[in-house]
Amino acid sequence: MRQKDLASARKLLGQALGMCPKESLFKGYITLELQLGEVDRCRSIYAKYLEYLPSNCQAWLDFAQLEINVGELERARSIFSLAVAQTTLDMPEVLWKAYIDFEIEDQQIENVRSLYTSLLERTSHVKVWIAYAQFEASTVGGGGIDAARTICKDGYDVLKSQELKEERVLLLEAWREMEVSSQKNGEGGDPRAVEVKMPRKIKMRRMVRHYSCGLYTLYEMNVPSNISFANS
């Protein structure tokens, strides 16, 4: 490049990638072509890059961002779709969030719902349930407190079946905040219905047999396990 021989530079980079593909080489080659405004060449390099490292979420994100930057939203959507379909990913949570944020930005609400549904088929992490419910409760999602409440109920049942007490508490706390916000806005929120499901402190006294004699107080959190949501 110092000799302004672009053809030779491309040939050398191509040979280097063919003999010893490395992430740094792919990035350098893409940077060069981006500076030259060669979007189609960048696409070709990204295709080879991701063929070599299909688990690299940052590469998928950069490729999708390239398409977003040039206004090719359908291409970006296809890239995201291919990315989340990979069997192994190094940062799946980052990739899924970016995909969902992309659809929100493009105001494709049904696509967002489909993505959350697909994600919950892969993981039951409490943060996903909360994010989905908050999306529906927001003005962006538009589902309102009823939709958010349904998601929280479903999430609670799943977490309960997995005996995840701390996660259930986190979900209940987030749910209560949504109900409070909805109530303040006159949208039918009912925080009391969630508060009765919140964990209670159980005071227990146990004998101390080491170093000293006496009793100490232990507090444990009791999350109700027989709560019915049918009439909530």
Side-chain angles (χ1 to χ4, degrees):
M1 284 300 293
R2 291 177 181 175
Q3 298 177 2
K4 298 184 179 180
D5 189 346
L6 180 58
S8 295
R10 282 172 171 160
K11 183 178 179 180
L12 286 171
L13 284 167
Q15 289 175 341
L17 287 173
M19 292 185 295
C20 185
K22 291 184 179 180
E23 188 173 4
S24 58
L25 282 175
F26 282 111
K27 288 181 176 180
Y29 200 175
I30 290 168
T31 299
L32 169 64
E33 297 296 356
L34 273 177
Q35 291 172 345
L36 297 169
E38 296 287 352
V39 175
D40 284 337
R41 286 183 178 273
C42 289
R43 288 172 177 145
S44 297
I45 300 166
Y46 268 121
K48 293 293 184 181
Y49 185 2
L50 290 164
E51 182 180 331
Y52 171 63
L53 287 174
S55 64
N56 190 322
C57 287
Q58 191 58 56
W60 286 107
L61 291 171
D62 291 343
F63 192 7
Q65 189 61 53
L66 167 68
E67 299 296 356
I68 293 170
N69 291 344
V70 298
E72 294 285 355
L73 299 188
E74 286 305 317
R75 283 180 178 269
R77 183 170 286 112
S78 296
I79 291 166
F80 275 122
S81 181
L82 282 171
V84 298
Q86 300 303 306
T87 55
T88 303
L89 293 167
D90 56 4
M91 297 187 297
E93 67 285 354
V94 175
L95 185 62
W96 277 95
K97 183 180 185 304
Y99 193 0
I100 290 170
D101 288 346
F102 164 75
E103 295 292 8
I104 291 174
E105 182 68 22
D106 197 35
Q107 299 181 0
Q108 300 298 319
I109 305 307
E110 289 304 318
N111 287 356
V112 176
R113 292 186 175 117
S114 295
L115 285 174
Y116 271 120
T117 300
S118 296
L119 182 53
L120 285 168
E121 290 173 356
R122 292 166 169 80
T123 177
S124 59
H125 198 289
V126 63
K127 289 185 178 181
V128 179
W129 288 107
I130 292 173
Y132 189 11
Q134 290 174 336
F135 166 73
E136 289 292 4
S138 71
T139 55
V140 177
I145 191 61
D146 288 337
R149 192 179 289 142
T150 297
I151 293 166
C152 288
K153 290 175 182 178
D154 292 343
Y156 187 95
D157 289 342
V158 171
L159 297 172
K160 176 184 173 183
S161 69
Q162 297 173 347
E163 299 183 353
L164 297 173
K165 286 189 176 183
E166 292 182 5
E167 286 79 359
R168 283 156 61 197
V169 172
L170 290 174
L171 179 62
L172 287 170
E173 289 175 345
W175 183 359
R176 179 173 57 185
E177 290 179 6
M178 285 181 268
E179 295 283 0
V180 169
S181 178
S182 176
Q183 185 182 59
K184 288 181 179 179
N185 295 329
E187 298 170 350
D190 184 11
R192 290 177 299 178
V194 182
E195 288 168 358
V196 298
K197 304 172 179 66
M198 294 296 291
R200 300 180 296 274
K201 287 185 177 180
I202 301 175
K203 188 174 182 180
M204 304 173 65
R205 296 176 69 81
R206 294 182 180 176
M207 182 68 68
V208 177
R209 299 183 181 278
H210 188 58
Y211 292 116
S212 62
C213 294
L215 298 173
Y216 70 94
T217 302
L218 173 69
Y219 288 93
E220 292 185 352
M221 303 300 290
N222 179 33
V223 182
S225 60
N226 58 345
I227 291 295
S228 172
F229 292 113
N231 299 317
S232 298

